[in-house]
Structures are given as C-alpha cells and as structure tokens.
Amino acid sequence: MTIRATHRTLLSRLLPDDEADDLAVRQGQFHTVALDSSHVVCLPRTRAAAARLPGRAASLRTPVGLGLGFRTPEPLLQGGAHGTGEVPFLVLSRIPGEPLEAGALCVDGVVTTVAAQYAALLSSLARAGSDARVRAALPRVPEGRWRRFAEGVRAELLPFMSDSGRLRAERELTALEGLPHLTHAVVHGDLGPKNVLWKWTHGLPRMSGVLDWDDVALGDPAEDLAAIGAGHGSELLERVLTPAGRPDRGLRTRIATIRGTFALQQALCAIPDGDEEELADGLTGYR
C-alpha cells in the first residue's frame, strides 16, 4: 500500500486543498514525502528517522537567513511528538524546480552553467563560514568525527564483508582518519544531485533551491565537493574547482578520501534505521 492509502486521513488534514490520490510521492533513504504545489509532507520511514524530525526542522531555520541567492525549505508545521500516538510528520514549504536528469550534463553549455552555479554556492557557504553570527548559530563538525566513524564501520560493518572487502575498507578508513579537522566553511553535508533543484530558462538550468539541510555545520568544504563529484562526475567537479581559483592545500586529496567512503557512510547510516536495502547497497563493493 502507498502512503496515499495508509495516511489518507492525515494527508487530507495537512493538505486539505488536494485529493490524496493526486499527490506526488517520493521515497528517500529516511523519509517518504508527499507533495502538492506548495507544500511537502515528510513522513519518516523508521523510528530513528522520526526521532530526528525536531532536529531536521531546527536545522532548516539557519540557511533561511544566510542570503545564499536561492530558496531553502521552511518548516511550517510539525506533529506526532513521542507519546502522542499520532503519526510523526513535518510540513515544509515546497521549492519550485527539479533535480537535474541524468543526461542533462551531456548538453552543450549546461556543464559550464551548472559548474559556475555550484562554484557560486560553495563560495557563498565559505563566506558565511566567516560570519560571526553564523558561527555562533551553527554547530562545528566534532573533532574526532572520522575516527568515530571508522570505529563504527569496524564494529558494525566489517563482519558483513569479504576478506578483500575488509582490506579495501581498512585502506579507506586509514586515509580518512588522517584528515585534518577543519571548520572554516558552512557545509551542507549532503549536496548530492537529489537535493539541488533547478529551473530551466532558455535551454539552461538555474539553481532554484537546495533541500535537506539536516547535517549543516561548520566543517570542511571537501565534503560538499565530494558529494558533487560523486553525484555528477569528475569532469563537473574539476570545472567547479578551477574557476573558483581555490588554492589546493590538499583539497583534492581530501575530496577523494571522503568520496571513497560514501558507500560505507550509507551502509552505516542504514543500521540504526533497520534499512536492509540501503545496507546491502552500501556494502555491494565490499562483499
């Protein structure tokens, strides 16, 4: 059964101007969402995701005030607190636009346009990271984060791997544990293609909004660059890096190191949520 059927009463109450059967529905790793023309209803898929809803709503209030040049979702209504017996939910404003389709970057001129806008986004996040008000409002990525991640992988994921998979994971984790602790930029934390929306004008895309700010923090911009590279490919990543004139200072090494652990990050995140499908997908290269 779809959420249109299982949550018909709730959706009709939250989105009274629309028929439940007419709502668009999308499923992510942690949430299923129902959308009308101006609202998004987030329904957590697991208890762990439901427990994170208040933090998700709080995290969305920060980027609204950063003046980044595009829209971010605003939390409008939250319900279903623990102990109430109500289905947990979060209603957000809907940002117009869609993620880029897989073949969009094959079109002449689109790669250059998209790269320039990603570079502008990252420059805005870097500038925001030096703003005293922003630094007071946002958490810093905790020191020792990658070490704790590596410990979690070794404890939770190594038993599922083959011998060759364990050797690969150990190489990746050793490199990760050697990364410096940086907190000079605002980092989105999940800047994959599905979280960046675009509107097309005269045959070219314009970034209209960025979704899912759950993990926003002061950290290393290599994380967001790694997500761009993983989602769109190395050619686009190089175009993002080059016009920005970024001094390297080990940046490309950090990007490659973080990018190399995305599958492990996916698998480890799947364990507390009990998501067997995401766990298996993340471990595919380690079996």
Side-chain angles (χ1 to χ4, degrees):
M1 295 180 70
T2 68
I3 66 165
R4 298 184 188 93
T6 57
H7 299 299
R8 184 176 299 275
T9 300
L10 176 63
L11 292 173
S12 296
R13 175 165 65 85
L14 297 176
L15 305 174
D17 296 331
D18 298 88
E19 293 292 334
D21 291 335
D22 295 333
L23 298 172
V25 174
R26 297 172 185 166
Q27 183 166 299
Q29 182 176 354
F30 303 118
H31 303 89
T32 301
V33 299
L35 309 93
D36 69 7
S37 60
S38 54
H39 303 88
V40 177
V41 178
C42 300
L43 299 168
R45 295 177 57 194
T46 64
R47 289 184 179 179
R52 293 193 295 267
L53 273 186
R56 186 176 204 204
S59 70
L60 285 169
R61 296 187 179 96
T62 298
V64 171
L66 291 183
L68 297 175
F70 52 79
R71 295 174 61 183
T72 57
E74 297 183 42
L76 303 175
L77 182 65
Q78 184 181 341
H82 179 70
T84 64
E86 186 179 32
V87 175
F89 67 84
L90 176 63
V91 182
L92 307 172
S93 61
R94 182 175 180 179
I95 307 302
E98 297 291 336
L100 288 176
E101 295 183 2
L105 296 179
C106 297
V107 179
D108 289 343
V110 172
V111 175
T112 301
T113 298
V114 169
Q117 291 177 77
Y118 268 121
L121 164 62
L122 291 165
S123 293
S124 293
L125 293 177
R127 286 194 301 273
S130 63
D131 186 313
R133 293 168 300 174
V134 174
R135 295 190 69 81
L138 286 180
R140 287 165 174 75
V141 171
E143 192 165 5
R145 168 199 176 191
W146 293 126
R147 175 182 52 78
R148 287 189 289 274
F149 169 75
E151 291 171 352
V153 169
R154 291 180 177 118
E156 301 286 350
L157 298 182
L158 290 190
F160 295 103
M161 299 180 186
S162 65
D163 290 342
S164 61
R166 293 188 189 99
L167 289 174
R168 173 187 168 183
E170 283 294 348
R171 288 194 300 270
E172 293 168 345
L173 295 175
T174 298
L176 195 67
E177 290 174 307
L179 292 179
H181 180 236
L182 303 175
T183 60
H184 62 274
V186 175
V187 173
H188 177 277
D190 190 11
L191 204 60
K194 71 183 187 310
N195 286 330
V196 183
L197 303 182
W198 305 80
K199 295 187 73 175
W200 289 77
T201 305
H202 304 302
L204 292 174
R206 176 181 58 80
M207 189 183 292
S208 58
V210 178
L211 312 177
D212 196 358
W213 292 81
D214 298 28
D215 298 320
V216 63
L218 296 166
D220 184 352
E223 289 193 52
D224 285 343
L225 286 159
I228 292 169
H232 293 298
S234 297
E235 179 184 351
L236 179 75
L237 175 61
E238 281 303 314
R239 292 190 182 220
V240 172
L241 289 169
T242 302
R246 296 171 179 272
D248 189 275
R249 297 177 186 169
L251 178 60
R252 281 176 170 78
T253 299
R254 302 199 309 276
I255 292 170
T257 299
I258 294 168
R259 181 175 172 179
T261 64
F262 278 170
L264 293 176
Q265 292 185 47
Q266 174 185 324
L268 190 63
C269 287
I271 288 182
D273 287 278
D275 194 326
E276 294 294 333
E277 183 178 346
E278 290 289 331
L279 175 63
D281 183 62
L283 290 175
T284 297
Y286 300 86
R287 296 291 196 181

